[in-house]
Amino acid sequence: MAENENGQEKTEQPTEKRLREAREKGNVPRSRELSTVAVFGAGVAALLALGGGLTARAMDWMRGALSPDRSLLETPELLFGHMGGLMLGFAWILAPLLLVTLLACFIAPLVMGGLNFSSKSLVPDPKRLNPISGLKRIYGPEGLAELLKSLLRVVLVGTAAALFLWPGLQRLKAMVHQPLEDAARGGLSFALWMLMATAAALLLLGLLDAPYQRWNWRRKLMMTRQELREELKQTEGKPEVKGRIRQLQMQMSQRRMMEDVPKADVIVVNPTHYAVALKYEGGSMRAPTVVAKGVDELAMSIREIAERHRIALVSAPPLARVLYREAEIGQEIPVKLYAAVAQVLSYVYQLKSWRPGTPRPELSTIDVDEGGDTGAAP
């Protein structure tokens, strides 16, 4: 089992965050065998497909290069430009082959998980210069895996070449009696097909190496339980930090709620333990809305603010308890409390219109069922 520097076993699969950070640093799965066969195979295939045209253009180029030019003898200064033109002409002949092999360089990264461009991978890493780490790679499991791949490469390539070469020995011997041009053409074709057989052997090795490299990449990124816990803490936040955030959010919510208390029409109290502030505007609200509520110290603060702003306090213990339990701040009261709250608001409106010298309005008994489910407002 893989271990980290502290000796702890890496038993946990890498998280998406760890995989993403590895890719950002340029640490992605790579398969040299797959890259080799992609470039080599694409080059051989291009030669087979374009061989006739390339040969004809190469022959024309060679005739032109070997044809004497008297002007060069008379004007040696033109020799440098002539050589440059010949080199450009030769590069133009090889351009299709070079383009195919260049595009083939992207095949392996795409197969292994997509192209990945990272500037961080260009930063020098002192760990790569550590001789101890280099010795571990050479004589460790990775070195053994590379040795096995090298042996397998020799076996596969040798077997493919032998299987192709053995039946073609008679064909090679017959070329001795053929005209030079035919023999050259046949020998080139034979060599290209043998290279294709070699590419097929390398392809088999690449298909074996690619899954191994991907598995080995994930294995190196595996995590210990401690690393997993630390990452979860960083991702979700430490419990004490989350608790502090919740506390601040609650304080902000309570502060906003207390700022709305002066807008209330009535405060229904217990009278000491519960306090619920209600507001109702007949033209814009379907039903009274709870603007604030609290118990104990918070209830006392609501009552103090209400007294400072001369908001009516109505003692209705059963109604206060039900409102606190079943009504949410900023929402309308439950349907089953419509009648009881209407009775309270009517009493408050009577108090506002009351004048000294006239009988003071009295609040009749409010009947409220403190059990059962709440209904939804229509």
Side-chain angles (χ1 to χ4, degrees):
M1 187 66 67
E3 296 183 353
N4 70 346
E5 295 178 353
N6 298 325
Q8 298 179 350
E9 290 187 350
K10 295 184 176 183
T11 58
E12 307 301 319
Q13 291 295 326
T15 60
E16 287 299 323
K17 180 176 180 292
R18 191 178 182 90
L19 295 175
R20 184 176 64 254
E21 290 177 348
R23 291 190 177 93
E24 290 174 354
K25 294 177 182 178
N27 182 5
V28 294
R30 296 183 179 91
S31 173
R32 287 197 297 268
E33 308 299 333
L34 195 60
S35 300
T36 300
V37 71
V39 176
F40 181 75
V44 175
L47 283 174
L48 285 173
L50 306 173
L54 289 177
T55 303
R57 288 195 292 172
M59 292 296 293
D60 293 339
W61 177 86
M62 187 173 295
R63 291 191 189 96
L66 298 178
S67 298
D69 190 350
R70 295 185 181 276
S71 62
L72 295 176
L73 297 175
E74 298 173 357
T75 313
E77 294 82 3
L78 300 177
L79 184 61
F80 183 78
H82 179 70
M83 291 297 298
L86 289 177
M87 296 301 296
L88 287 175
F90 187 71
W92 181 251
I93 293 172
L94 296 180
L97 181 62
L98 295 175
L99 180 61
V100 170
T101 53
L102 178 62
L103 293 177
C105 294
F106 297 98
I107 295 177
L110 289 172
V111 172
M112 295 298 292
L115 297 176
N116 184 75
F117 300 96
S118 174
S119 59
K120 295 181 180 180
S121 60
L122 302 176
V123 179
D125 186 2
K127 294 181 180 179
R128 297 178 181 176
L129 303 177
N130 189 347
I132 297 178
S133 301
L135 291 174
K136 286 182 179 180
R137 285 195 299 269
I138 296 173
Y139 297 103
E142 292 187 18
L144 179 59
E146 291 298 324
L147 176 61
L148 292 176
K149 282 196 299 180
S150 299
L151 295 175
L152 185 59
R153 185 186 304 112
V154 172
V155 171
L156 290 174
V157 172
T159 302
L163 290 175
F164 188 83
L165 187 61
W166 182 258
L169 285 177
Q170 296 301 324
R171 180 182 173 187
L172 290 176
K173 292 178 182 179
M175 291 180 185
V176 178
H177 306 288
Q178 294 177 356
L180 179 59
E181 188 173 344
D182 293 341
R185 188 181 298 109
L188 179 60
S189 176
F190 183 85
L192 288 176
W193 281 107
M194 189 172 68
L195 289 176
M196 184 58 73
T198 304
L202 292 176
L203 176 61
L204 178 59
L205 181 60
L207 293 177
L208 293 174
D209 183 60
Y212 165 76
Q213 293 297 342
R214 190 166 187 83
W215 169 83
N216 193 39
W217 175 71
R218 290 184 67 92
R219 181 186 64 83
K220 292 179 181 178
L221 293 176
M222 288 183 68
M223 309 169 68
T224 64
R225 293 184 180 274
Q226 181 62 28
E227 289 174 338
L228 186 60
R229 284 194 291 266
E230 290 297 326
E231 183 174 303
L232 289 175
K233 284 183 180 179
Q234 294 175 1
T235 303
E236 300 179 0
K238 295 184 178 180
E240 55 269 22
V241 176
K242 292 172 67 177
R244 178 59 178 166
I245 292 175
R246 284 196 297 269
Q247 182 181 1
L248 292 174
Q249 290 175 340
M250 186 176 298
Q251 290 176 355
M252 292 176 62
S253 176
Q254 289 180 357
R255 186 160 51 248
R256 287 194 299 267
M257 180 183 70
M258 301 304 280
E259 291 173 355
D260 290 336
V261 171
K263 303 175 185 178
D265 294 315
V266 61
I267 311 296
V268 182
V269 298
N270 190 29
T272 56
H273 295 291
Y274 291 84
V276 180
L278 301 176
K279 179 178 179 59
Y280 178 65
E281 295 178 359
S284 57
M285 294 183 180
R286 297 184 305 173
T289 302
V290 177
V291 296
K293 66 177 182 178
V295 294
D296 299 332
E297 294 182 0
L298 190 56
M300 184 178 298
S301 299
I302 293 174
R303 289 195 299 270
E304 290 176 354
I305 294 175
E307 289 173 355
R308 287 201 302 268
H309 291 82
R310 297 182 179 181
I311 299 173
L313 297 175
V314 177
S315 178
L319 179 59
R321 289 192 293 266
V322 176
L323 282 171
Y324 180 82
R325 186 173 62 248
E326 300 184 4
E328 298 297 332
I329 297 174
Q331 296 183 5
E332 297 176 355
I333 62 173
V335 174
K336 71 174 189 178
L337 300 178
Y338 278 8
V341 172
Q343 189 176 345
V344 170
L345 290 174
S346 176
Y347 170 69
V348 171
Y349 296 151
Q350 291 176 22
L351 282 178
K352 289 182 178 179
S353 60
W354 175 73
R355 295 289 181 271
T358 61
R360 183 183 177 85
E362 293 185 3
L363 180 64
S364 56
T365 304
I366 299 177
D367 255 347
V368 176
D369 181 11
E370 295 193 56
D373 297 332
T374 54

